[in-house]
Each structure stands twice: as structure tokens, then as C-alpha cells.
Amino acid sequence: MIVIMNINASQASIDRVQLEIEKLSYTSHLVEGKTRTVIGVLGTKPLRGKQHLQTLPEVSDVLEISTPYKLASREWQPIDTIVGIGSARIGGNHVTVIAGPCSIESYEQTKIVAEAVKAAGGHLLRGGAFKPRTSPYSFQGLGVEGLKIIQQVGKEVGLPTVVEVTDTEVLTITAEHTDMLQIGTRNMQNFTLLKEAARTNLPILLKRGMSATVKETILAAEYILNEGNNQVVLCERGIRTFVDHTRNTLDVSAIPAFQRLSHLPVIVDPSHAAGKRHKVIPLSLAGVAAGAQGVMVEVHPNPEVALSDGPQQLLPEDFKDLVDRIRMVAKAVGKDLA
Ligand code: PEP
Ligand code: MN
């Protein structure tokens, strides 16, 4: 339920509404606009007190929120959230580019990619240290050594970093070495991980589960927001469908769907959707054309010898081409490169 105050409502009336909400054993949450304040009524109990709140001074309206999520909804916060990660921003009318290798394999490999990302105009460096692999026999990542490498390279090159956290066991160490945490498709509904990651207060890149609906994805984000961390970016990375020409299907229609329902920024990861390099650039451009506020792609100096996801990783020179084309598409849809 949300209480919408009159334009320029007095502080006394706002305080009174908050007090009455607490008397009803709910928690209140203020969203202050330029002229109007909206007060959210939070709690797990069935809603009561709607009519009572409606009668209080300077209350314009009391709305029941029809969606099962609140904090992540557009009804709750009409304006776009902008997520800050060090010097980078994701959200609003800008397109942010995140790139880096699938896995951190060595200092040299990471440094070559990071320099190429920076030179081409990318904004954040990504890379996995603990890899969630489908097979237990595949490369599992360098672990803590990988974390140290990406942190060092990010600082040397001047790019904030994004690293996936795969488990609560490695949460603290991962959080100490990165500017943004990624929660991957396989963990989107690992609610313990979502809550604990939220409590680090780092910004979180939340990937859509490969079989999750848009609503389930926003509910997963709600777990993070409900811990008091509103720095969440949603990422469409492809879903499982019946087709066999691609690894996953990049669900471009999810971009405007998320943006209509939620104020959180939405980016696309065409690398994990496509699984093959030749589809990465067209899908990136499709994502930006459909309104994505960012693109995340994998880049490797020598994909043939990559320890994970070689077939989908772009070469540094292809990445430069991608950024140039993203800039043009962004402009065509009224946005700019962040
Ligand atoms: C990744 O970004 O490295 C990754 C494993 O992605 P996803 O969770 O989308 O498979
Ligand atoms: Mn990968």
C-alpha cells in the first residue's frame, strides 16, 4: 500500500501518517519528490488501515499495490534508479558498457582485455574468479587469486569492476575485491545469497534466471531492496527456449517489460545468450535499440585458448567496433553512451 500526500504537504502531516502506519504495526518508507511525498507501507501482514490512512490530513490518496513486489515497482518509485559503481553509472537515459573475460585466467590476460576495454570507451571491467560451471570437470576459476588480479588491474586501468559471487561462503572475500557483485542466472533465486549480498551494500548486477519470468526476476530484486540496498541492475542474459540455433534466446521483449514494471536499470548480456561470437554484436545492438541501459560482453585476447566460454568471447578489436556501433544506436534511440 502507498500513501500519496498532497502537493507540498506539511512535515507535521507526513509525520502523522508515519506514526499511524507504525501503530498499525507496519514500517513506513518515505519517497520524497520535488513537490510530493509518497509513503510506502511495508509489512508481511495482510493490509489493513487503508480507510483510516485515507482520512488523515493532507493525504491525497491511498493505493493498494497490485504487484507482489513493492520497492522495485514503478508505482512505488516512478523515476528511474541510477546505480553508481565508482566512477561509472548505470541507468536513466544512458548506455553503459561492461566488458571483460569470462574467467580471470592470468594478470596478463586480464590486463590486455582491460586496456582494450578502457581504450574503446567501456565503463566497467568484468571477470569471473569463482566460475559456476555446468560440469564439475570444467575450469572452476582461479578463486582468490583471480579476485586479486581483477582488483589490481581495475585500479591500474581505472575501471570499476564487476565479479560474480557464487556462494555465501565466498561473499566476504569477493566483496572485499570488487566494486559491484554479480549474481548469476543459476543463483537468481538463491534467497540467502541475495539477502546476504544485499547487506554488503555493494551495487548488485542481478541476472535473470534462465527459466525465470520477468515477475520472478523483479521479486528476486525485491529481496535485495528489502534489505535496504536499492543499487540493483537487472540483466537479461537469455532464457531457455525450444530453438537450437542459439544457446539461449535473448528475450529482447523483457527489456521494456522490466522498465514498465520497475524503476531499476536494465542491461543485456548477449554473450551468454548467444554462446557464439557472431551473434554478440547484432544482439547487443538489438538490446540497446529496445531500450537497454547497458550491455555486458565477454572479451578475450585469444578466445581459442580461453578456459571458459571461448566461442562467445569477442576479440579486443571486435569490441572497439561494438562500442562504436552501440554509440550510434544509442543516439538513434535518444540516448548517449554513459
Ligand atoms: C557470467 O557472467 O560469467 C556467467 C556465468 O553468466 P550467467 O550467470 O548468465 O550464465
Ligand atoms: Mn562466461
Side-chain angles (χ1 to χ4, degrees), residues 101-103 126 131 247 271-272 298 308-309 312-313:
C102 177
S103 297
R126 64 144 284 147
K131 295 302 298 177
R247 180 173 165 190
S271 301
H272 290 91
E298 290 186 339
S308 59
D309 284 347
Q312 72 195 30
Q313 302 207 55

Side-chain angles (χ1 to χ4, degrees), residues 78-98:
I79 56 159
D80 281 359
T81 284
I82 310 277
V83 172
I85 314 109
S87 56
R89 295 277 170 280
I90 307 181
N93 235 4
H94 311 287
V95 178
T96 302
V97 180
I98 307 173

Side-chain angles (χ1 to χ4, degrees), residues 2-5 29-33 36-40 75-76:
I2 53 175
V3 180
I4 301 170
M5 302 301 294
H29 181 105
L30 278 192
V31 181
E32 282 164 307
R36 208 194 273 276
T37 296
V38 169
I39 307 170
E75 282 162 305
W76 172 259

